[in-house]
Amino acid sequence: MSFGKLYTCDGNPRSTAIRAVAKANKLDLEIVETDPPKGVPAEYLKINPLGKIPSFEGADGYVLTEAIAIAIYITSQNEKTSLLGKTKQDYASIVRWMSYANHEVLPTLAGWFRPLVGRDPYNKKNVEDSMKAALKAVGAIEQHLLINTFLVGERITLADIFAVGILARGFQYFFDKTWRSANPNVTRWYETVYSQPIYSAVVDKLSFIDEAIKNTPPASAKKEASTKKEKEPAAKKEAPKPKAKEVEDEEEEGVQAPKPKHPLEALPKATLVLDDWKRKYSNEETREVALPWFWENYKPDEYSLWKVDYKYNDELTQVFMSSNLIGKSPSLTSVVLRIRNDYIFDFIASHSVGGFFARLEGSRKYIFGAASVYGQANDSVIQGAFVIRGQEASPAFDVAPDFESYEFTKLDPSKAEDKEFVENQWSWDKPVEVKGKTYNHADGKVFK
């Protein structure tokens, strides 16, 4: 009897561990091929309103989203499993490393390889920044494994299985002979876990690359750049050649699905032009001029206000690293540099291409907001306030892969405390209180 359905697509790195533990636990898991970029049926949105993968639907009707939660749930079906550790500290550490792989490693690897294989627009600077962030994240694992056989304890756990599934992208495209020589601990660990029957049963045979792919535009981008040259006059008998090459390239890269229209395009034209507010905020004093203008022109039937909280504040360490979670270089996010309490924060140096703001580009004309780090090293929180087109958060925010790392709470500007929260978040001159503790403003970014 089927234990349930796993909605995912072939090669999805977040699903490898789920498949592995399901097979090891002898659970009949039906794989339902689901590829969000190609569109998902309306029925799937009842299971996962964001239309993302993976998602699990049990035979008993139990529905679960989020890769880490699903992997833990499937693993826990074996009450004698050692994959979740022996102690509460083991379990917490397992979740910690799974979260690290999911939020620190995978987004940066994606920002590195996707443009190089034609899945995202190519920008050399962005790719280089992603590379630096990915190597830094994996470097932390290398250091940990210098004195540890596995991520947690002396036996393989779910953390290892999940993290190896994530790092497979790196070994597929970048971690060549030279890199492996310089990172023997990660290489040893990766090969060890990959070769375990629980993992090797659901993946292709282990193989390593000799040379990493180059930081150059993919074939499609090169082809576009040389279009004019191809169109130069030539002998008639040679004319079909470029066309044949075109078809060959399309076969290699796969036919790209038409880019879907943004769901908020369907809304009627707003009377408040968001760009007018963005200019007012950028060019005027915030509290004295900009905020009064905003409240005078704000249309609650056209826009909504949202409080944004990072879900994993307990994992934040250095302030600048926390800031990198929010945004990246101004080439994508129009970062505003400000001075508060004699501290100058250079936001341009951000390395986290998988940062939240960096992935909101597709919704830029529907969003304005600011998010900040409050507190100090090893004791900080991330909060923000946004105004968006429409009344639901997901159509505006789910263009960001790390959307699910944040909690969104709708605000009511008719309530004094909600209005004050928005003003404070956009002014950066007041502390915040979280769980009874006060945190001073440390660093912030603006998306506009």
Side-chain angles (χ1 to χ4, degrees):
M1 178 180 175
S2 174
F3 180 71
K5 300 176 180 178
L6 179 66
Y7 295 84
T8 185
C9 65
D10 185 46
N12 178 254
R14 289 186 170 105
S15 301
T16 306
I18 300 171
R19 295 186 186 201
V21 293
K23 188 174 183 66
N25 285 345
K26 298 180 180 179
L27 299 176
D28 184 8
L29 202 59
E30 179 186 349
I31 305 299
V32 181
E33 191 70 18
T34 308
D35 194 355
K38 296 180 181 178
V40 296
E43 286 298 312
Y44 181 67
L45 297 179
K46 296 178 182 179
I47 298 170
N48 189 327
L50 302 182
K52 296 186 177 183
I53 57 172
S55 296
F56 171 77
E57 183 180 21
D60 59 358
Y62 178 60
V63 171
L64 192 61
T65 61
E66 301 294 324
I68 294 175
I70 298 170
I72 291 173
Y73 177 69
I74 298 297
T75 304
S76 67
Q77 299 308 303
N78 178 359
E79 295 183 359
K80 296 181 179 180
T81 185
S82 61
L83 294 177
L84 296 177
K86 296 179 180 180
T87 68
K88 293 179 180 178
Q89 290 184 350
D90 284 349
Y91 179 74
S93 296
I94 289 167
V95 175
R96 171 240 178 154
W97 281 111
M98 293 174 72
S99 297
Y100 184 87
N102 196 39
H103 297 290
E104 302 294 340
V105 179
L106 184 57
T108 54
L109 283 176
W112 187 4
F113 87 84
R114 288 178 64 89
L116 300 184
V117 298
R119 295 190 190 180
D120 287 339
Y122 175 83
N123 179 289
K124 185 176 181 180
K125 175 64 165 57
N126 294 344
V127 171
E128 289 176 347
D129 286 348
S130 291
M131 176 189 69
K132 293 175 184 177
L135 293 177
K136 183 176 181 179
V138 178
I141 301 177
E142 172 71 16
Q143 289 301 310
H144 178 75
L145 293 173
L146 178 63
I147 56 174
N148 295 279
T149 304
F150 297 104
L151 292 178
V152 181
E154 295 304 315
R155 297 182 63 182
I156 189 172
T157 67
L158 182 60
D160 300 293
I161 298 170
F162 187 85
V164 164
I166 298 298
L167 264 70
R169 287 288 195 229
F171 281 91
Q172 179 182 357
Y173 293 108
F174 304 113
F175 299 163
D176 57 14
K177 187 179 296 184
T178 301
W179 185 93
R180 296 194 301 273
S181 177
N183 295 270
N185 304 316
V186 168
T187 304
R188 179 265 307 162
W189 163 79
Y190 180 84
E191 188 170 7
T192 299
V193 176
Y194 200 109
S195 300
Q196 297 296 311
I198 188 174
Y199 190 88
S200 60
V202 297
V203 294
D204 295 333
K205 185 178 179 180
L206 176 65
S207 63
F208 290 125
I209 59 174
D210 290 329
E211 188 175 353
I213 61 174
K214 304 297 184 183
N215 182 5
T216 56
S220 58
K222 291 178 180 178
K223 180 176 60 185
E224 183 178 340
S226 62
T227 298
K228 290 183 179 179
K229 182 176 280 189
E230 291 179 353
K231 289 185 177 180
E232 289 177 357
K236 287 185 178 180
K237 63 179 180 180
E238 295 179 1
K241 268 193 172 182
K243 183 64 178 178
K245 177 61 179 171
E246 241 176 37
V247 173
E248 181 184 341
D249 287 344
E250 287 175 1
E251 290 173 350
E252 290 175 356
E253 296 169 15
V255 179
Q256 298 293 316
K259 187 176 180 180
K261 290 185 176 181
H262 198 288
L264 294 178
E265 286 187 21
L267 294 177
K269 186 176 181 180
T271 55
L272 168 61
V273 179
L274 201 55
D275 281 345
D276 290 346
W277 158 242
K278 293 176 180 180
R279 283 190 290 271
K280 181 67 67 173
Y281 180 87
S282 298
N283 298 325
E284 304 285 356
E285 288 296 324
T286 303
R287 287 198 181 272
E288 293 83 349
V289 180
L291 286 172
W293 185 96
F294 176 80
W295 295 121
E296 182 180 347
N297 291 275
Y298 175 69
K299 307 292 183 183
D301 56 329
E302 298 176 346
Y303 295 88
S304 56
L305 290 160
W306 294 83
K307 175 185 178 184
V308 177
D309 290 281
Y310 186 57
K311 293 180 180 179
Y312 308 105
N313 289 319
D314 57 331
E315 297 178 5
L316 301 179
T317 54
Q318 299 300 316
V319 169
F320 79 91
M321 294 173 67
S322 303
S323 178
N324 288 346
L325 282 169
I326 306 171
K328 59 175 275 119
S329 69
S331 62
L332 284 181
T333 57
S334 302
V335 169
V336 175
L337 182 64
R338 295 188 174 191
I339 301 175
R340 288 291 184 269
N341 301 324
D342 299 324
Y343 289 94
I344 301 178
F345 300 101
D346 182 7
F347 300 136
I348 298 176
S350 173
H351 295 300
S352 182
V353 177
F356 185 45
F357 279 10
R359 300 302 189 186
L360 288 176
E361 181 66 22
S363 289
R364 178 176 299 283
K365 64 181 180 179
Y366 306 107
I367 298 178
F368 169 87
S372 297
V373 181
Y374 293 85
Q376 57 190 352
N378 300 307
D379 185 20
S380 58
V381 298
I382 293 176
Q383 277 193 345
F386 291 78
V387 56
I388 67 170
R389 187 76 171 91
Q391 302 302 316
E392 300 296 331
S394 58
F397 289 107
D398 69 1
V399 297
D402 50 351
F403 165 74
E404 295 171 354
S405 298
Y406 295 82
E407 181 179 352
F408 297 84
T409 305
K410 197 170 188 177
L411 300 174
D412 181 356
S414 67
K415 296 180 179 179
E417 61 270 25
D418 285 3
K419 183 176 181 180
E420 182 183 15
F421 177 82
V422 172
E423 293 184 343
N424 291 344
Q425 287 293 321
W426 292 353
S427 299
W428 299 357
D429 55 5
K430 301 285 186 182
V432 297
E433 185 174 308
V434 178
K435 297 180 180 179
K437 184 174 182 178
T438 300
Y439 296 85
N440 291 321
H441 187 272
D443 195 353
K445 298 179 187 292
V446 175
F447 186 86
K448 62 185 182 69

